[in-house]
């Protein structure tokens, strides 16, 4: 039966009453009998879309299809997906299609169901945002970040309130409403800025880290001011006593979360084995507590959206609990529920709201614009006073004023609860769309972190003297990388005359956290913190330093960042430490029988990024095959030279091969190392694509090898790739380490026919051949690329 419910309420701003009549059907139809059953039934008045289940599914399909169509057009302009979701909602709203003819059957009951699903996603998003945030970083933020975070909230807030007060004399209305709205106009949203930096792939850049730190400070201040403004509102409307009661209840809720719930969750984490997964029962208990948090916030008189967020802040970030929550929930929330919520926000928008706009709404919008402009000015001025480059300061200013799903959700909920009028909501929607569209484009134009990698100084091994300290970075992903890297460094026999300044960078995937970390491990600190990173790596390389005292100096760093942005940490460290060579582990490891022990495609992608962007020379180490138990094997030495470590350079020509030879010559300075240079020459040189300059340089370095009595030089003439393969198969067993140049996208007569069989482009044709299953490989392989000369 249809039950007409008439409800009247007072809008939050105008103080006028508006009566609406909403007709809903009880009991609601949820599950349809099926399309076939509806077609054959006698009552033709019932339609498939009268049932909430099929209608919700159809609405979701239409929303996602329309969003993807819009985004496919707008992403070429650099607009984020959030804008496409909002525009999809506006196109599906009654403003474009009337209630009766809307594509998604927009009616009160259908909006209620769709809006509930979307709001569920928004609450989950706030909870996960709290889980990802690490409040301890607020204490570690630099003075610059603290100043930017505080001033970009306080100064715009004062400016906004002053503007509204001058424009609109309203007595107590100013205190109990405008202060709360001024906080929302001036506030900073950490989740929005984090999403922006992630989309622009500058999350762990220097500017990104500063923006995140400032946003974290600003978000915490905004949270406090918002709660404080609600207490002020309560004090003016209900009296000082009620405000004090609200304050006491809020403090009690905070005490329960901090001193009861958080210790319980820490106890769960302590009971989890190291590097293990959190127990399912613990995971479900946390989810249950989250689902109950909105109800508890209602009991404690706290704004219901802050309950899940504050509870998320109490969850220990990172593995095992925080990362488990994010990894399991974030894909479905960000991929399904949150887009629906963004679209339902767009469904609320209607241009007709502007016709009924009053003077108060115009004053509020003007105050919001003043807050936005002042926020931009403060965000620009503070970095400039700190001697930050102008382009970077402008980019940071745009980052700090960015708007997104948090602001849109807040205004939508305030509109639903009649805290703001519909015309204010319409104005603020336009502001959010404009700011969220312009900011990513301008930040991308202003800030390109790869510019600083354009190094005009030669940072290669060829340009380093043999008796000069070699600055080297080695990257570690898994414990197995440590032994293989140390073995190769030991084989190079570093001496005081030819020392190594070794920087070890342990790369860890950012999981369950929003803020990337870069940690310098201080040798003087003997105690490790409760959240220690890279302990085994630090111990192993410190022992290596002691074993080679005076010849090797070691510094260990840890970078916790998203895998697709790890190259930023490596390149930044290389720039800061004036590095000449970066050593990367190969993404695949084999057992001795040729079967694959482990493989990580994210490591392979990272290697490609480093090869493309590194400000110095790069090497990729392909380990020798390991026994089935996974322990390292001792490389067999040749019977004639059992006391020597034999290395070989496969030389075809070009800058990468010259760099490989320079590295081999540096390693072979020790008497226990024997170097063999194998020069593969084409029988027919017509197809050789080397320039005249390359030929001259190749001839110079080879003449030096030929004249030296310390090296063995072998010259082999081959016709094509198969002959090269056969020759290499006959000699590789004599060596423990083979060094080759990458020679990317270079195919000579010596490699003719091998390119089409090349599986791993990052290690070149010869490197791929030597690492293939056709070679019985107990040797390690090092592929070298000389510093690339790039232009702006």
């Amino acid at each position: 039966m249809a039950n007409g419910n008439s409800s009247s309420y007072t809008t939050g701003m105008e103080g006028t009453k508006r009566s609406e009549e909403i007709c809903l059907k009880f009991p609601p139809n949820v599950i349809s009998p099926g399309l076939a059953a509806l077609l054959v039934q006698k009552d033709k008045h019932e339609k498939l879309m009268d049932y909430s289940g099929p209608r919700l599914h159809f609405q979701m399909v239409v929303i996602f299809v329309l969003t993807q169509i819009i985004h496919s057009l707008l992403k070429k302009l650099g607009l984020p997906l959030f804008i496409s979701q909002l525009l999809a909602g506006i196109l599906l709203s009654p403003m474009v299609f009337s209630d009766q003819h809307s594509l998604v059957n927009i009616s009160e009951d259908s909006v209620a169901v769709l809006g509930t699903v979307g709001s569920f996603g928004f609450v989950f998003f706030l909870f996960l945002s709290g889980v990802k945030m690490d409040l301890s970083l607020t204490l570690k933020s630099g003075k610059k970040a603290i100043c930017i975070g505080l001033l970009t909230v306080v100064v715009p807030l004062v400016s906004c309130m002053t503007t509204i007060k001058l424009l609109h004399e309203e007595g107590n209305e100013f205190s109990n409403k405008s202060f709360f709205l001024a906080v929302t106009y001036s506030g900073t949203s950490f989740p929005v800025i984090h999403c922006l930096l992630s989309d622009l792939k500058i999350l762990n850049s220097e500017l990104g880290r500063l923006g995140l730190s400032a946003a974290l400070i600003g978000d915490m201040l905004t949270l406090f001011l918002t709660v404080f403004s609600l207490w002020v509102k309560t004090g003016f409307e209900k009296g000082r006593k009620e405000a004090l009661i609200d304050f006491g209840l809020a403090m009690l809720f905070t005490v329960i979360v901090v001193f009861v719930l958080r210790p319980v969750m820490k106890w769960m984490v302590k009971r989890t084995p190291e590097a293990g997964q959190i127990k399912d029962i613990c995971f479900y208990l946390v989810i249950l507590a989250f689902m109950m948090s909105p109800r508890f916030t209602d009991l404690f008189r706290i704004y219901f959206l802050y309950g899940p967020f504050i509870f998320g802040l109490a969850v220990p970030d990172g593995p095992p609990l925080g990362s488990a929550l994010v990894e399991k929930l974030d894909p479905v929330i960000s991929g399904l529920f949150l887009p629906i919520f963004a679209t339902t926000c767009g469904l609320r928008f209607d241009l007709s709201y502007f016709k009924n706009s009053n003077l108060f709404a115009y004053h509020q919008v003007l105050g919001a614009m003043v807050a936005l402009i002042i926020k931009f000015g403060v965000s620009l001025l503070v970095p400039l006073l700190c001697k930050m480059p102008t382009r970077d300061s402008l980019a940071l200013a745009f980052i700090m004023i960015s708007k997104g799903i948090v602001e849109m959700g807040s205004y939508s909920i305030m509109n639903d609860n009649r805290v703001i009028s519909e015309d204010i909501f319409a104005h603020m929607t336009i502001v959010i769309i404009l700011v969220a569209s312009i900011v990513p484009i301008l930040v991308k134009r202003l800030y390109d972190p790869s510019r600083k990698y354009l190094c005009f100084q030669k940072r290669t091994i060829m340009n380093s003297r043999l008796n000069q300290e070699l600055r080297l970075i080695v990257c570690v992903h898994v414990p197995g990388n440590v032994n293989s890297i140390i073995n190769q460094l030991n084989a190079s026999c570093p001496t005081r005359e030819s020392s190594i300044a070794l920087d070890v960078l342990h790369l860890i995937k950012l999981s369950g956290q929003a803020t990337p970390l870069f940690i310098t491990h201080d040798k003087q600190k003997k105690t490790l913190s409760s959240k220690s990173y890279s302990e085994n790596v630090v111990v192993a390389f410190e022992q290596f330093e002691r074993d080679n005292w005076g010849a090797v100096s070691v510094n260990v760093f840890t970078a916790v960042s998203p895998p697709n942005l790890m190259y930023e940490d490596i390149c930044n460290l290389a720039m800061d430490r004036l590095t000449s060579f970066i050593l990367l582990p190969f993404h695949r490891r084999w057992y001795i029988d040729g079967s694959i022990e482990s493989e990580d495609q994210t490591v392979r992608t990272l290697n490609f990024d480093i090869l493309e962007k590194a400000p110095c020379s790069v090497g990729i180490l392909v380990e020798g095959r390991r026994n089935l138990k996974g322990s390292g094997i001792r490389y067999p030495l040749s019977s004639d030279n059992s006391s020597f470590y034999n290395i070989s350079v496969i030389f075809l020509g070009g800058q990468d091969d010259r760099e490989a030879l320079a590295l081999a010559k540096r390693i072979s300075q020790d008497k226990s190392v024997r170097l063999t240079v194998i020069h593969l020459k084409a029988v027919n040189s017509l197809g050789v694509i080397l320039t005249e300059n390359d030929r001259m340089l190749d001839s110079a370095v080879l003449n030096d090898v030929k004249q030296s009595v310390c090296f063995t030089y072998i010259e082999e003439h081959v016709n094509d790739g198969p002959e090269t393969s056969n020759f290499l198969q006959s000699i590789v067993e004599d060596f423990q380490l083979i060094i080759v140049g990458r020679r990317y996208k270079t195919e000579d007569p010596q490699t003719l026919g091998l390119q089409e069989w090349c599986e791993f482009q990052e290690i070149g044709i010869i490197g791929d051949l030597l690492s293939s299953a056709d070679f019985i490989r107990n040797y390690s392989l090092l592929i070298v690329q000389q510093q690339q000369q790039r232009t702006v």
Side-chain angles (χ1 to χ4, degrees), residues 738-782:
I738 299 178
I739 306 176
V740 300
R742 185 191 181 202
R743 309 180 79 249
Y744 183 54
K745 291 185 178 179
T746 302
E747 186 172 20
D748 295 321
Q750 302 96 306
T751 58
L752 186 63
L754 298 178
Q755 175 68 47
E756 59 191 51
W757 300 100
C758 185
E759 182 180 3
F760 304 117
Q761 296 289 337
E762 67 270 28
I763 58 177
I765 298 175
I766 297 296
D768 181 81
L769 175 66
L770 292 171
S771 65
S772 66
D774 296 334
F775 285 69
I776 302 175
R777 185 169 56 82
N778 289 329
Y779 52 85
S780 290
L781 182 63
L782 181 58

Short mmCIF file of all heavy atoms in Angstrom, two decimals, residues 738-782:
data_model
loop_
_atom_site.label_atom_id
_atom_site.label_comp_id
_atom_site.label_asym_id
_atom_site.label_seq_id
_atom_site.Cartn_x
_atom_site.Cartn_y
_atom_site.Cartn_z
N ILE A 738 80.13 -12.41 -15.24
CA ILE A 738 80.19 -11.89 -16.60
C ILE A 738 79.52 -10.52 -16.62
O ILE A 738 78.39 -10.36 -16.15
CB ILE A 738 79.49 -12.84 -17.60
CG1 ILE A 738 80.19 -14.20 -17.59
CG2 ILE A 738 79.49 -12.25 -18.99
CD1 ILE A 738 79.55 -15.22 -18.51
N ILE A 739 80.24 -9.55 -17.17
CA ILE A 739 79.73 -8.17 -17.23
C ILE A 739 79.49 -7.81 -18.69
O ILE A 739 80.37 -8.00 -19.54
CB ILE A 739 80.73 -7.18 -16.60
CG1 ILE A 739 81.09 -7.63 -15.16
CG2 ILE A 739 80.16 -5.77 -16.58
CD1 ILE A 739 82.13 -6.76 -14.51
N VAL A 740 78.30 -7.29 -18.98
CA VAL A 740 77.95 -6.90 -20.36
C VAL A 740 77.28 -5.54 -20.33
O VAL A 740 76.71 -5.13 -19.32
CB VAL A 740 77.02 -7.94 -21.02
CG1 VAL A 740 77.66 -9.30 -21.08
CG2 VAL A 740 75.68 -8.02 -20.30
N GLY A 741 77.36 -4.84 -21.44
CA GLY A 741 76.62 -3.58 -21.60
C GLY A 741 75.18 -3.87 -21.99
O GLY A 741 74.88 -4.87 -22.64
N ARG A 742 74.31 -2.98 -21.59
CA ARG A 742 72.89 -3.20 -21.92
C ARG A 742 72.63 -3.04 -23.41
O ARG A 742 71.92 -3.83 -23.99
CB ARG A 742 72.04 -2.19 -21.13
CG ARG A 742 70.54 -2.43 -21.33
CD ARG A 742 69.72 -1.29 -20.76
NE ARG A 742 68.30 -1.52 -20.94
CZ ARG A 742 67.37 -0.57 -20.93
NH1 ARG A 742 67.73 0.70 -20.74
NH2 ARG A 742 66.09 -0.87 -21.11
N ARG A 743 73.14 -1.98 -23.99
CA ARG A 743 72.99 -1.73 -25.43
C ARG A 743 71.53 -1.80 -25.84
O ARG A 743 71.13 -2.57 -26.71
CB ARG A 743 73.84 -2.71 -26.25
CG ARG A 743 75.27 -2.79 -25.79
CD ARG A 743 76.12 -3.74 -26.60
NE ARG A 743 76.55 -3.15 -27.87
CZ ARG A 743 76.12 -3.53 -29.05
NH1 ARG A 743 75.22 -4.49 -29.15
NH2 ARG A 743 76.57 -2.95 -30.14
N TYR A 744 70.69 -0.98 -25.19
CA TYR A 744 69.24 -1.01 -25.40
C TYR A 744 68.89 -0.60 -26.82
O TYR A 744 69.38 0.40 -27.35
CB TYR A 744 68.57 -0.08 -24.39
CG TYR A 744 67.07 -0.08 -24.46
CD1 TYR A 744 66.34 -1.26 -24.37
CD2 TYR A 744 66.36 1.11 -24.57
CE1 TYR A 744 64.96 -1.25 -24.41
CE2 TYR A 744 64.99 1.13 -24.61
CZ TYR A 744 64.29 -0.06 -24.53
OH TYR A 744 62.91 -0.05 -24.58
N LYS A 745 68.02 -1.39 -27.44
CA LYS A 745 67.54 -1.15 -28.81
C LYS A 745 68.68 -1.04 -29.81
O LYS A 745 68.62 -0.29 -30.78
CB LYS A 745 66.68 0.12 -28.86
CG LYS A 745 65.34 -0.03 -28.14
CD LYS A 745 64.48 1.21 -28.31
CE LYS A 745 63.13 1.03 -27.63
NZ LYS A 745 62.28 2.23 -27.76
N THR A 746 69.74 -1.79 -29.58
CA THR A 746 70.88 -1.81 -30.49
C THR A 746 71.09 -3.24 -30.97
O THR A 746 71.36 -4.13 -30.16
CB THR A 746 72.16 -1.31 -29.80
OG1 THR A 746 71.94 0.01 -29.32
CG2 THR A 746 73.33 -1.32 -30.77
N GLU A 747 70.92 -3.46 -32.27
CA GLU A 747 71.12 -4.80 -32.82
C GLU A 747 72.18 -4.72 -33.92
O GLU A 747 72.02 -4.03 -34.92
CB GLU A 747 69.82 -5.38 -33.38
CG GLU A 747 69.97 -6.83 -33.83
CD GLU A 747 68.64 -7.47 -34.20
OE1 GLU A 747 67.69 -6.72 -34.47
OE2 GLU A 747 68.57 -8.71 -34.23
N ASP A 748 73.29 -5.41 -33.71
CA ASP A 748 74.40 -5.44 -34.64
C ASP A 748 74.41 -6.80 -35.35
O ASP A 748 73.64 -7.70 -35.01
CB ASP A 748 75.72 -5.24 -33.88
CG ASP A 748 75.79 -3.85 -33.27
OD1 ASP A 748 75.35 -2.90 -33.93
OD2 ASP A 748 76.28 -3.74 -32.12
N PRO A 749 75.29 -6.96 -36.34
CA PRO A 749 75.40 -8.29 -36.97
C PRO A 749 75.71 -9.39 -35.95
O PRO A 749 75.27 -10.52 -36.12
CB PRO A 749 76.56 -8.09 -37.96
CG PRO A 749 76.52 -6.63 -38.29
CD PRO A 749 76.09 -5.94 -37.05
N GLN A 750 76.44 -9.06 -34.88
CA GLN A 750 76.79 -10.07 -33.89
C GLN A 750 75.56 -10.60 -33.14
O GLN A 750 75.59 -11.71 -32.58
CB GLN A 750 77.77 -9.51 -32.85
CG GLN A 750 79.06 -8.98 -33.44
CD GLN A 750 79.01 -7.48 -33.65
OE1 GLN A 750 78.09 -6.99 -34.30
NE2 GLN A 750 79.99 -6.77 -33.12
N THR A 751 74.47 -9.81 -33.10
CA THR A 751 73.26 -10.23 -32.38
C THR A 751 72.08 -10.43 -33.32
O THR A 751 70.94 -10.53 -32.87
CB THR A 751 72.90 -9.20 -31.31
OG1 THR A 751 72.70 -7.92 -31.93
CG2 THR A 751 74.00 -9.09 -30.27
N LEU A 752 72.35 -10.48 -34.62
CA LEU A 752 71.28 -10.60 -35.61
C LEU A 752 70.50 -11.89 -35.39
O LEU A 752 71.06 -12.97 -35.29
CB LEU A 752 71.88 -10.58 -37.02
CG LEU A 752 70.87 -10.56 -38.18
CD1 LEU A 752 70.05 -9.29 -38.14
CD2 LEU A 752 71.59 -10.69 -39.52
N GLY A 753 69.18 -11.75 -35.26
CA GLY A 753 68.32 -12.91 -35.04
C GLY A 753 68.01 -13.19 -33.59
O GLY A 753 67.17 -14.06 -33.29
N LEU A 754 68.66 -12.49 -32.67
CA LEU A 754 68.42 -12.72 -31.23
C LEU A 754 67.38 -11.77 -30.65
O LEU A 754 66.78 -12.07 -29.63
CB LEU A 754 69.73 -12.57 -30.44
CG LEU A 754 70.86 -13.55 -30.78
CD1 LEU A 754 72.09 -13.24 -29.94
CD2 LEU A 754 70.40 -14.99 -30.55
N GLN A 755 67.18 -10.63 -31.30
CA GLN A 755 66.27 -9.62 -30.78
C GLN A 755 64.85 -10.17 -30.60
O GLN A 755 64.18 -9.92 -29.60
CB GLN A 755 66.25 -8.41 -31.71
CG GLN A 755 65.23 -7.32 -31.33
CD GLN A 755 65.59 -6.62 -30.03
OE1 GLN A 755 66.72 -6.22 -29.84
NE2 GLN A 755 64.63 -6.47 -29.15
N GLU A 756 64.39 -10.95 -31.57
CA GLU A 756 63.02 -11.46 -31.51
C GLU A 756 62.81 -12.47 -30.39
O GLU A 756 61.68 -12.74 -30.00
CB GLU A 756 62.62 -12.07 -32.84
CG GLU A 756 63.53 -13.22 -33.27
CD GLU A 756 63.29 -13.63 -34.72
OE1 GLU A 756 63.29 -12.75 -35.59
OE2 GLU A 756 63.10 -14.83 -34.93
N TRP A 757 63.89 -13.03 -29.87
CA TRP A 757 63.79 -13.99 -28.78
C TRP A 757 64.08 -13.34 -27.43
O TRP A 757 64.08 -14.03 -26.40
CB TRP A 757 64.77 -15.15 -28.99
CG TRP A 757 64.51 -15.90 -30.27
CD1 TRP A 757 65.17 -15.77 -31.45
CD2 TRP A 757 63.49 -16.89 -30.48
NE1 TRP A 757 64.64 -16.61 -32.39
CE2 TRP A 757 63.60 -17.32 -31.82
CE3 TRP A 757 62.51 -17.46 -29.67
CZ2 TRP A 757 62.77 -18.28 -32.37
CZ3 TRP A 757 61.67 -18.42 -30.21
CH2 TRP A 757 61.81 -18.82 -31.55
N CYS A 758 64.32 -12.05 -27.42
CA CYS A 758 64.69 -11.35 -26.19
C CYS A 758 63.47 -11.20 -25.28
O CYS A 758 62.48 -10.56 -25.66
CB CYS A 758 65.29 -9.98 -26.52
SG CYS A 758 65.92 -9.09 -25.09
N GLU A 759 63.53 -11.78 -24.09
CA GLU A 759 62.41 -11.74 -23.15
C GLU A 759 62.46 -10.53 -22.24
O GLU A 759 61.44 -9.94 -21.91
CB GLU A 759 62.40 -13.03 -22.32
CG GLU A 759 61.23 -13.11 -21.34
CD GLU A 759 61.25 -14.38 -20.51
OE1 GLU A 759 62.21 -15.18 -20.67
OE2 GLU A 759 60.32 -14.59 -19.72
N PHE A 760 63.66 -10.14 -21.82
CA PHE A 760 63.82 -9.04 -20.86
C PHE A 760 64.61 -7.91 -21.51
O PHE A 760 65.84 -7.94 -21.57
CB PHE A 760 64.53 -9.54 -19.60
CG PHE A 760 63.85 -10.70 -18.94
CD1 PHE A 760 64.48 -11.94 -18.84
CD2 PHE A 760 62.57 -10.58 -18.44
CE1 PHE A 760 63.86 -13.01 -18.25
CE2 PHE A 760 61.92 -11.65 -17.83
CZ PHE A 760 62.57 -12.87 -17.73
N GLN A 761 63.88 -6.89 -21.97
CA GLN A 761 64.53 -5.78 -22.65
C GLN A 761 65.43 -4.97 -21.73
O GLN A 761 66.38 -4.34 -22.17
CB GLN A 761 63.46 -4.85 -23.24
CG GLN A 761 62.59 -5.48 -24.32
CD GLN A 761 63.35 -5.71 -25.60
OE1 GLN A 761 64.36 -5.06 -25.86
NE2 GLN A 761 62.88 -6.64 -26.42
N GLU A 762 65.14 -5.00 -20.42
CA GLU A 762 65.92 -4.18 -19.50
C GLU A 762 67.36 -4.65 -19.35
O GLU A 762 68.20 -3.89 -18.85
CB GLU A 762 65.24 -4.12 -18.13
CG GLU A 762 65.20 -5.43 -17.37
CD GLU A 762 63.97 -6.26 -17.67
OE1 GLU A 762 63.42 -6.13 -18.79
OE2 GLU A 762 63.54 -7.04 -16.81
N ILE A 763 67.67 -5.89 -19.73
CA ILE A 763 69.05 -6.36 -19.61
C ILE A 763 69.70 -6.55 -20.98
O ILE A 763 70.81 -7.09 -21.06
CB ILE A 763 69.13 -7.67 -18.79
CG1 ILE A 763 68.28 -8.77 -19.41
CG2 ILE A 763 68.72 -7.42 -17.35
CD1 ILE A 763 68.39 -10.10 -18.67
N GLY A 764 69.03 -6.10 -22.03
CA GLY A 764 69.64 -6.14 -23.36
C GLY A 764 69.66 -7.52 -23.98
O GLY A 764 69.30 -8.53 -23.35
N ILE A 765 70.11 -7.57 -25.22
CA ILE A 765 70.08 -8.83 -25.98
C ILE A 765 71.07 -9.83 -25.41
O ILE A 765 70.73 -11.00 -25.16
CB ILE A 765 70.37 -8.56 -27.47
CG1 ILE A 765 69.29 -7.64 -28.07
CG2 ILE A 765 70.44 -9.87 -28.25
CD1 ILE A 765 69.57 -7.24 -29.50
N ILE A 766 72.31 -9.41 -25.20
CA ILE A 766 73.33 -10.33 -24.68
C ILE A 766 73.01 -10.75 -23.25
O ILE A 766 73.15 -11.93 -22.88
CB ILE A 766 74.72 -9.69 -24.76
CG1 ILE A 766 75.10 -9.41 -26.21
CG2 ILE A 766 75.77 -10.59 -24.12
CD1 ILE A 766 75.23 -10.66 -27.06
N GLY A 767 72.55 -9.81 -22.43
CA GLY A 767 72.18 -10.14 -21.06
C GLY A 767 71.03 -11.13 -21.01
O GLY A 767 71.04 -12.08 -20.21
N ASP A 768 70.05 -10.93 -21.86
CA ASP A 768 68.93 -11.87 -21.92
C ASP A 768 69.38 -13.25 -22.38
O ASP A 768 68.91 -14.28 -21.86
CB ASP A 768 67.85 -11.31 -22.85
CG ASP A 768 66.63 -12.20 -22.94
OD1 ASP A 768 65.77 -12.12 -22.04
OD2 ASP A 768 66.54 -12.99 -23.90
N LEU A 769 70.29 -13.29 -23.35
CA LEU A 769 70.81 -14.57 -23.85
C LEU A 769 71.54 -15.32 -22.75
O LEU A 769 71.32 -16.53 -22.53
CB LEU A 769 71.73 -14.31 -25.04
CG LEU A 769 72.46 -15.53 -25.62
CD1 LEU A 769 71.45 -16.49 -26.26
CD2 LEU A 769 73.51 -15.09 -26.64
N LEU A 770 72.41 -14.63 -22.02
CA LEU A 770 73.21 -15.28 -20.99
C LEU A 770 72.38 -15.70 -19.77
O LEU A 770 72.82 -16.56 -18.99
CB LEU A 770 74.33 -14.34 -20.53
CG LEU A 770 75.41 -14.06 -21.58
CD1 LEU A 770 76.35 -12.96 -21.10
CD2 LEU A 770 76.20 -15.33 -21.89
N SER A 771 71.19 -15.10 -19.59
CA SER A 771 70.34 -15.48 -18.46
C SER A 771 69.27 -16.49 -18.84
O SER A 771 68.47 -16.90 -18.01
CB SER A 771 69.65 -14.23 -17.89
OG SER A 771 68.77 -13.66 -18.84
N SER A 772 69.28 -16.92 -20.12
CA SER A 772 68.23 -17.83 -20.59
C SER A 772 68.49 -19.26 -20.13
O SER A 772 69.58 -19.61 -19.66
CB SER A 772 68.16 -17.78 -22.11
OG SER A 772 69.35 -18.29 -22.69
N ALA A 773 67.48 -20.08 -20.28
CA ALA A 773 67.57 -21.49 -19.86
C ALA A 773 68.52 -22.29 -20.74
O ALA A 773 68.90 -23.41 -20.38
CB ALA A 773 66.18 -22.12 -19.89
N ASP A 774 68.92 -21.76 -21.90
CA ASP A 774 69.83 -22.47 -22.79
C ASP A 774 71.24 -22.56 -22.22
O ASP A 774 72.04 -23.39 -22.65
CB ASP A 774 69.90 -21.78 -24.16
CG ASP A 774 68.55 -21.83 -24.88
OD1 ASP A 774 67.77 -22.75 -24.59
OD2 ASP A 774 68.28 -20.92 -25.69
N PHE A 775 71.53 -21.69 -21.24
CA PHE A 775 72.87 -21.67 -20.65
C PHE A 775 72.82 -22.32 -19.27
O PHE A 775 71.98 -21.97 -18.44
CB PHE A 775 73.37 -20.23 -20.52
CG PHE A 775 73.81 -19.62 -21.82
CD1 PHE A 775 72.89 -19.31 -22.81
CD2 PHE A 775 75.15 -19.37 -22.07
CE1 PHE A 775 73.29 -18.76 -24.01
CE2 PHE A 775 75.56 -18.82 -23.27
CZ PHE A 775 74.64 -18.52 -24.25
N ILE A 776 73.70 -23.29 -19.06
CA ILE A 776 73.84 -23.90 -17.74
C ILE A 776 74.62 -22.90 -16.90
O ILE A 776 75.85 -22.80 -17.00
CB ILE A 776 74.55 -25.26 -17.82
CG1 ILE A 776 73.77 -26.19 -18.74
CG2 ILE A 776 74.71 -25.86 -16.44
CD1 ILE A 776 74.46 -27.51 -18.98
N ARG A 777 73.89 -22.15 -16.06
CA ARG A 777 74.46 -20.92 -15.51
C ARG A 777 74.71 -21.03 -14.02
O ARG A 777 73.78 -21.01 -13.22
CB ARG A 777 73.51 -19.74 -15.80
CG ARG A 777 74.05 -18.40 -15.38
CD ARG A 777 73.19 -17.29 -15.94
NE ARG A 777 71.81 -17.42 -15.56
CZ ARG A 777 71.31 -17.01 -14.41
NH1 ARG A 777 72.10 -16.48 -13.52
NH2 ARG A 777 70.03 -17.15 -14.14
N ASN A 778 75.96 -21.15 -13.65
CA ASN A 778 76.36 -21.03 -12.26
C ASN A 778 77.13 -19.74 -12.03
O ASN A 778 77.76 -19.57 -10.99
CB ASN A 778 77.22 -22.22 -11.84
CG ASN A 778 76.40 -23.49 -11.75
OD1 ASN A 778 75.22 -23.44 -11.43
ND2 ASN A 778 77.02 -24.62 -12.05
N TYR A 779 77.09 -18.84 -12.97
CA TYR A 779 77.79 -17.56 -12.87
C TYR A 779 76.78 -16.46 -12.59
O TYR A 779 75.58 -16.59 -12.86
CB TYR A 779 78.54 -17.25 -14.17
CG TYR A 779 77.68 -17.34 -15.40
CD1 TYR A 779 76.90 -16.27 -15.82
CD2 TYR A 779 77.63 -18.53 -16.15
CE1 TYR A 779 76.10 -16.36 -16.94
CE2 TYR A 779 76.83 -18.63 -17.27
CZ TYR A 779 76.06 -17.55 -17.66
OH TYR A 779 75.26 -17.65 -18.77
N SER A 780 77.26 -15.37 -12.05
CA SER A 780 76.43 -14.18 -11.91
C SER A 780 76.62 -13.30 -13.14
O SER A 780 77.67 -13.34 -13.80
CB SER A 780 76.80 -13.41 -10.64
OG SER A 780 76.42 -14.11 -9.50
N LEU A 781 75.61 -12.49 -13.39
CA LEU A 781 75.61 -11.66 -14.59
C LEU A 781 75.31 -10.23 -14.18
O LEU A 781 74.37 -9.96 -13.42
CB LEU A 781 74.55 -12.18 -15.56
CG LEU A 781 74.40 -11.49 -16.91
CD1 LEU A 781 75.67 -11.64 -17.73
CD2 LEU A 781 73.20 -12.09 -17.66
N LEU A 782 76.14 -9.30 -14.65
CA LEU A 782 75.95 -7.88 -14.34
C LEU A 782 75.79 -7.11 -15.64
O LEU A 782 76.69 -7.10 -16.48
CB LEU A 782 77.14 -7.35 -13.55
CG LEU A 782 77.08 -5.87 -13.12
CD1 LEU A 782 75.84 -5.60 -12.27
CD2 LEU A 782 78.34 -5.48 -12.35
#
